[in-house]
């Protein structure tokens, strides 16, 4: 059992209710005709596919049927946070790196 | 040539055979047939919208996640921050829809009659708690699922919207196209408790 918090239903729900729908925070070019084919192809096809922290969209398919964002570690599958559409993540690869550093500093 | 032994065979409609232990049924299924069901969408921050709906239904729209509201035969389920399911008395959905449209004239809203697409089923009995445990991924214990709460989740992998009632039973909204599948699952899962269908 793997539970993920839905920011709209405001509770933990079983993973079975959700589906993953790809990388988050990808902005559609305002004027597609004005950009190069390469820039357009990057927008359409290319994703960051990181090893580690990834900001991605999830869909509460069997629940409220809303899309939301999640910060997930692609290596451990740990979901660090979920947040509503239009919001920005509070946890990023950078904030985690800083937190890890201060943790190590505190321990020595 | 010996006769074909059919004693251990299952006929094509084997699954439709009534239960032998229905007399001591631990699970009672009752379909609340032909209830009117309307899907309503609108802006919960817009007082004109919320007050118009309340004037028609006689009850305020539930705003808290997973909550519900009741006024006689009219039941309102919260589905998401801007979407509700209205369950009304059988046959009245056309009038309720018309009244809503009149009250919300000019507003950015949506009312959709989905009565024929889904049905309301009530599950009760001494075995219903265990039945829910093996049928849904949601924790249906009363500490997690109190009376009046509405949860959209999966039931035997098909989608359902369920509500806990005061008598401890569960109202489940299921899709028409999945109703046969739902019933077959219910029949199988209720076998050990006995199933009564009314
Ligand atoms: Zn949700």
């Amino acid at each position: 059992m793997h539970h993920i918090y839905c920011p709209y239903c405001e509770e933990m729900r079983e993973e079975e209710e959700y589906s993953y729908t790809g990388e988050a925070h990808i902005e559609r070019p305002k004027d597609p005709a004005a950009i190069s084919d390469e820039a357009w192809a990057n927008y359409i096809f290319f994703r960051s596919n990181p090893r580690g922290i990834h900001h991605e969209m999830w869909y509460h398919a069997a629940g409220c049927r809303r899309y939301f964002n999640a910060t997930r570690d692609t290596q451990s599958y740990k979901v660090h946070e979920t947040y509503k559409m239009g919001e920005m993540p509070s946890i990023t690869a950078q904030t985690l790196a800083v937190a890890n550093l201060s943790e190590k500093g505190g321990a020595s | 040539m010996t006769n074909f032994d059919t004693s251990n065979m299952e006929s094509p409609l084997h699954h439709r055979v009534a239960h032998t232990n229905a007399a001591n049924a631990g699970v009672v299924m009752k379909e609340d047939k032909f209830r009117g069901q309307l899907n309503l969408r609108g802006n919960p921050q817009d007082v004109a919208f919320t007050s118009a709906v309340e004037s028609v239904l006689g009850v305020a729209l539930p705003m808290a996640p997973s909550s519900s509201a009741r006024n006689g035969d009219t039941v309102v389920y919260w589905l998401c921050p801007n979407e509700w399911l209205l369950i009304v008395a059988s046959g009245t959905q056309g009038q309720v829809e018309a009244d809503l449209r009149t009250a919300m004239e000019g507003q950015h809203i949506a009312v959709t009659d989905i009565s024929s697409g889904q049905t309301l089923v009530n599950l009760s009995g001494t075995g219903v708690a265990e039945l829910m445990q093996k049928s849904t991924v949601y924790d249906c214990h009363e500490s997690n699922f109190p009376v009046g709460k509405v949860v959209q989740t999966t039931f035997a992998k098909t989608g359902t919207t369920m509500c806990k009632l005061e008598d401890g039973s569960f109202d489940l909204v299921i899709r028409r196209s999945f109703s046969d599948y739902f019933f077959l699952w219910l029949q199988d899962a209720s076998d050990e408790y006995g199933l009564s269908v009314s």
Side-chain angles (χ1 to χ4, degrees):
Chain A
M1 300 285 270
H2 183 225
H3 289 98
I4 298 170
Y5 186 84
C6 172
Y8 296 102
C9 293
E10 296 181 4
E11 65 178 1
M12 304 295 280
R13 294 293 189 89
E14 172 62 27
E15 185 189 17
E16 178 182 310
E17 295 182 7
Y18 299 97
S19 56
Y20 167 83
T21 61
E23 188 172 341
H25 307 301
I26 295 173
E27 217 176 301
R28 189 179 196 277
K30 295 265 186 305
D31 185 3
I35 63 170
S36 67
D37 286 352
E38 189 184 351
W40 182 248
N42 275 332
Y43 161 68
I44 295 284
F45 300 111
F46 290 89
R47 297 296 176 259
S48 58
N49 193 26
R51 180 188 190 208
I53 293 299
H54 189 223
H55 304 291
E56 55 199 25
M57 296 185 293
W58 283 71
Y59 176 51
H60 198 180
C64 60
R65 305 190 317 287
R66 293 309 102 168
Y67 287 84
F68 61 89
N69 297 311
T71 301
R72 184 178 63 95
D73 190 314
T74 58
Q75 236 181 317
S76 65
Y77 209 87
K78 180 179 177 174
V79 176
H80 287 275
E81 64 174 344
T82 56
Y83 50 102
K84 292 178 180 174
M85 278 295 154
E87 294 177 353
M88 294 305 286
S90 67
I91 296 168
T92 64
Q94 273 175 320
T95 66
L96 276 180
V98 170
N100 283 342
L101 266 181
S102 62
E103 211 170 83
K104 277 178 193 151
S108 63
Chain B
M1 193 173 168
T2 56
N3 282 335
F4 204 65
D5 180 14
T6 57
S7 60
N8 289 321
M9 289 173 63
E10 294 182 354
S11 77
L13 284 174
H14 172 83
H15 62 282
R16 291 304 224 163
V17 174
H19 271 250
T20 51
N21 53 356
N24 311 310
V27 175
V28 179
M29 187 205 102
K30 187 175 179 297
E31 184 185 7
D32 197 351
K33 293 175 188 169
F34 308 120
R35 287 288 292 273
Q37 300 195 25
L38 300 167
N39 184 280
L40 172 69
R41 299 200 66 177
N43 179 3
Q45 265 87 50
D46 183 356
V47 181
F49 165 71
T50 55
S51 58
V53 175
E54 188 173 351
S55 71
V56 172
L57 302 179
V59 64
L61 283 174
M63 293 295 173
S66 306
S67 62
S68 66
R70 259 164 217 276
N71 175 29
D73 270 346
T74 302
V75 186
V76 188
Y77 289 172
W78 179 97
L79 297 181
C80 85
N82 59 10
E83 186 175 3
W84 295 266
L85 176 66
L86 318 178
I87 304 176
V88 299
S90 176
T92 66
Q93 61 268 30
Q95 190 58 51
V96 175
E97 182 185 347
D99 292 347
L100 283 169
R101 288 194 185 283
T102 305
M104 301 186 293
E105 179 91 55
Q107 295 184 18
H108 182 59
I109 53 97
V111 191
T112 315
D113 185 350
I114 52 173
S115 311
S116 55
Q118 44 199 37
T119 192
L120 187 63
V121 171
N122 181 264
L123 297 178
S124 61
T126 53
V128 76
E130 283 185 38
L131 171 79
M132 297 305 279
Q133 278 178 357
K134 56 181 176 180
S135 301
T136 174
V137 291
Y138 195 75
D139 177 5
C140 291
H141 189 269
E142 58 188 22
S143 61
N144 189 57
F145 197 1
V147 173
K149 190 169 184 177
V150 172
V151 174
Q152 299 174 89
T153 182
T154 57
F155 185 98
K157 293 190 189 291
T158 174
T160 186
T161 304
M162 54 189 193
C163 184
K164 180 79 159 292
L165 305 189
E166 261 170 47
D167 62 6
S169 70
F170 294 88
D171 267 352
L172 273 70
V173 176
I174 56 167
R175 288 193 188 273
R176 178 190 200 99
S177 52
F178 277 90
S179 57
D180 196 47
Y181 166 81
F182 170 86
F183 185 75
L184 293 180
W185 169 275
L186 182 70
Q187 192 166 244
D188 183 40
S190 306
D191 197 37
E192 59 185 295
Y193 319 111
L195 175 66
S196 164
V197 180
S198 61

